[in-house]
Coordinates of all heavy atoms in Angstrom, one line a residue:
Chain M
M20 N -1.3 20.3 -5.0 CA -0.2 21.4 -5.1 C 0.7 21.3 -3.8 O 1.9 21.4 -4.0 CB -0.9 22.7 -5.3 CG -1.4 22.9 -6.7 SD -2.1 24.6 -6.9 CE -0.6 25.5 -6.7
I137 N -2.9 42.0 -2.3 CA -1.8 41.5 -3.3 C -1.0 42.7 -3.9 O 0.0 42.4 -4.6 CB -2.6 40.7 -4.4 CG1 -1.5 39.8 -5.2 CG2 -3.4 41.4 -5.4 CD1 -0.7 38.8 -4.4
K140 N 2.8 43.0 -4.5 CA 3.4 41.6 -4.3 C 3.3 40.8 -5.5 O 2.3 40.8 -6.3 CB 2.8 41.0 -3.1 CG 3.1 41.7 -1.8 CD 2.8 40.8 -0.6 CE 1.3 40.6 -0.3 NZ 1.0 40.0 1.0
K141 N 4.3 39.8 -5.7 CA 4.2 38.9 -6.8 C 3.2 37.8 -6.4 O 2.3 37.5 -7.2 CB 5.6 38.3 -7.0 CG 5.7 37.5 -8.3 CD 7.2 37.2 -8.5 CE 7.4 36.2 -9.6 NZ 8.8 35.8 -9.7
F142 N 3.3 37.3 -5.3 CA 2.4 36.3 -4.8 C 1.9 36.7 -3.4 O 2.6 37.5 -2.8 CB 3.0 34.9 -4.7 CG 3.5 34.4 -6.1 CD1 4.8 34.3 -6.4 CD2 2.5 34.0 -7.0 CE1 5.1 33.8 -7.7 CE2 2.8 33.5 -8.3 CZ 4.1 33.4 -8.7
F143 N 0.7 36.1 -3.0 CA 0.3 36.3 -1.6 C 1.5 35.9 -0.6 O 1.7 36.5 0.4 CB -1.0 35.7 -1.3 CG -2.1 36.2 -2.0 CD1 -2.7 35.6 -3.1 CD2 -2.8 37.3 -1.5 CE1 -3.7 36.1 -3.8 CE2 -3.9 37.9 -2.1 CZ -4.4 37.3 -3.2
E146 N 7.6 36.3 -2.7 CA 8.3 35.9 -3.9 C 7.9 34.6 -4.4 O 8.0 34.2 -5.5 CB 9.8 36.0 -3.7 CG 10.4 37.4 -3.9 CD 10.1 38.1 -5.2 OE1 10.4 37.5 -6.3 OE2 9.4 39.1 -5.2
N147 N 7.5 33.8 -3.4 CA 7.1 32.4 -3.7 C 5.7 32.0 -3.4 O 5.0 32.7 -2.6 CB 8.0 31.4 -3.0 CG 9.5 31.5 -3.4 OD1 9.8 31.5 -4.6 ND2 10.2 31.8 -2.3
I148 N 5.2 31.0 -4.2 CA 3.8 30.6 -3.9 C 3.7 30.0 -2.6 O 4.5 29.2 -2.1 CB 3.4 29.5 -5.0 CG1 3.1 30.3 -6.3 CG2 2.2 28.7 -4.5 CD1 2.8 29.4 -7.5
D152 N -1.8 31.6 -1.8 CA -1.9 31.4 -3.3 C -2.6 30.0 -3.6 O -3.5 30.0 -4.4 CB -0.5 31.4 -3.9 CG 0.3 32.7 -3.6 OD1 0.0 33.7 -4.3 OD2 1.0 32.8 -2.7
G159 N -8.2 32.0 -8.9 CA -7.2 32.2 -9.9 C -7.5 31.4 -11.2 O -7.0 31.9 -12.3
K176 N -9.9 42.8 -15.4 CA -8.6 43.7 -15.3 C -8.9 45.0 -15.0 O -8.1 45.7 -14.2 CB -7.9 43.5 -16.6 CG -7.0 42.4 -16.6 CD -6.0 42.4 -17.8 CE -5.2 41.1 -17.8 NZ -5.0 40.5 -19.1
P180 N -7.0 45.2 -11.2 CA -5.7 45.0 -12.0 C -4.7 44.2 -11.2 O -4.0 43.4 -11.8 CB -5.3 46.5 -12.2 CG -6.0 47.3 -11.3 CD -7.3 46.6 -11.0
N181 N -4.6 44.4 -9.9 CA -3.5 43.7 -9.1 C -3.9 42.2 -9.0 O -3.0 41.4 -9.2 CB -3.4 44.3 -7.7 CG -3.0 45.8 -7.8 OD1 -2.1 46.2 -8.6 ND2 -3.7 46.6 -6.9
L182 N -5.1 42.0 -8.8 CA -5.6 40.5 -8.6 C -5.4 39.8 -9.9 O -5.0 38.7 -10.0 CB -7.0 40.6 -8.1 CG -7.5 39.3 -7.4 CD1 -6.6 38.8 -6.4 CD2 -9.0 39.5 -6.8
C183 N -5.7 40.5 -11.0 CA -5.6 39.9 -12.3 C -4.2 39.6 -12.8 O -3.8 38.7 -13.5 CB -6.4 40.7 -13.4 SG -8.1 40.4 -13.1
E184 N -3.3 40.5 -12.3 CA -1.8 40.3 -12.5 C -1.3 39.1 -11.7 O -0.6 38.3 -12.2 CB -1.1 41.5 -12.1 CG 0.3 41.8 -12.8 CD 1.0 43.0 -12.3 OE1 0.3 44.1 -12.4 OE2 2.1 42.9 -12.0
W185 N -1.9 39.0 -10.5 CA -1.6 37.8 -9.7 C -2.0 36.6 -10.4 O -1.3 35.5 -10.5 CB -2.2 37.9 -8.3 CG -2.1 36.6 -7.6 CD1 -1.0 36.0 -6.9 CD2 -3.1 35.5 -7.5 NE1 -1.3 34.8 -6.4 CE2 -2.6 34.5 -6.8 CE3 -4.5 35.5 -8.0 CZ2 -3.3 33.3 -6.5 CZ3 -5.2 34.3 -7.7 CH2 -4.7 33.3 -7.0
I186 N -3.3 36.6 -11.0 CA -3.8 35.4 -11.7 C -2.9 35.0 -12.8 O -2.6 33.8 -12.9 CB -5.2 35.7 -12.2 CG1 -6.2 35.8 -11.0 CG2 -5.7 34.6 -13.2 CD1 -7.6 36.2 -11.4
D187 N -2.4 36.0 -13.6 CA -1.6 35.7 -14.7 C -0.2 35.0 -14.2 O 0.2 34.0 -14.8 CB -1.1 37.0 -15.4 CG -2.1 37.4 -16.4 OD1 -3.0 36.6 -16.8 OD2 -2.0 38.6 -17.0
G188 N 0.3 35.6 -13.1 CA 1.5 35.0 -12.6 C 1.3 33.6 -12.1 O 2.1 32.7 -12.2
F189 N 0.2 33.4 -11.4 CA -0.2 32.2 -10.8 C -0.4 31.0 -11.8 O 0.3 30.0 -11.7 CB -1.4 32.3 -9.9 CG -1.9 31.1 -9.2 CD1 -1.2 30.6 -8.1 CD2 -3.1 30.5 -9.5 CE1 -1.6 29.5 -7.4 CE2 -3.5 29.3 -8.9 CZ -2.8 28.8 -7.8
I190 N -1.3 31.3 -12.8 CA -1.6 30.2 -13.7 C -0.4 29.9 -14.7 O -0.4 28.8 -15.3 CB -2.9 30.3 -14.4 CG1 -2.9 31.7 -15.3 CG2 -4.1 30.4 -13.4 CD1 -4.2 31.8 -16.1
N191 N 0.5 30.9 -14.8 CA 1.6 30.6 -15.7 C 2.9 30.3 -15.0 O 4.0 30.1 -15.7 CB 1.8 31.9 -16.5 CG 0.7 32.1 -17.6 OD1 0.4 31.1 -18.3 ND2 0.1 33.2 -17.6
H192 N 2.8 30.2 -13.7 CA 4.0 29.8 -12.9 C 4.3 28.3 -13.3 O 3.4 27.5 -13.5 CB 3.6 29.8 -11.4 CG 4.8 29.6 -10.5 ND1 5.3 28.3 -10.3 CD2 5.5 30.4 -9.7 CE1 6.4 28.4 -9.4 NE2 6.5 29.7 -9.1
S193 N 5.6 28.1 -13.5 CA 6.0 26.7 -14.0 C 5.5 25.6 -13.2 O 5.1 24.5 -13.6 CB 7.6 26.6 -14.1 OG 8.1 26.8 -12.8
F194 N 5.3 25.8 -11.9 CA 4.9 24.8 -11.0 C 3.4 24.6 -11.1 O 3.0 23.4 -10.9 CB 5.3 25.2 -9.5 CG 4.7 24.3 -8.5 CD1 5.2 23.0 -8.4 CD2 3.5 24.6 -7.8 CE1 4.6 22.1 -7.4 CE2 3.0 23.8 -6.9 CZ 3.5 22.5 -6.7
V195 N 2.7 25.6 -11.3 CA 1.2 25.6 -11.3 C 0.6 25.0 -12.7 O -0.2 24.2 -12.7 CB 0.6 26.9 -10.9 CG1 -1.0 26.9 -11.1 CG2 1.1 27.4 -9.6
K196 N 1.2 25.6 -13.8 CA 0.5 25.4 -15.1 C 0.5 24.0 -15.5 O -0.4 23.5 -16.2 CB 1.1 26.4 -16.2 CG 2.4 26.1 -16.6 CD 2.8 27.0 -17.8 CE 4.2 26.8 -18.2 NZ 4.7 27.8 -19.1
L199 N -2.7 22.2 -13.4 CA -4.0 22.6 -13.4 C -4.8 21.7 -14.4 O -4.3 21.3 -15.4 CB -4.2 24.0 -13.9 CG -3.7 25.1 -12.8 CD1 -3.7 26.5 -13.4 CD2 -4.6 25.1 -11.6

Side-chain angles (χ1 to χ4, degrees):
Chain M
M20 285 183 64
I137 193 65
K140 291 198 283 192
K141 192 170 170 187
F142 296 110
F143 288 100
E146 276 306 298
N147 297 305
I148 284 177
D152 300 281
K176 274 193 180 137
N181 302 316
L182 200 49
C183 287
E184 207 178 308
W185 167 80
I186 290 176
D187 273 349
F189 179 71
I190 59 176
N191 289 308
H192 188 286
S193 59
F194 173 74
V195 176
K196 72 175 173 191
L199 287 171

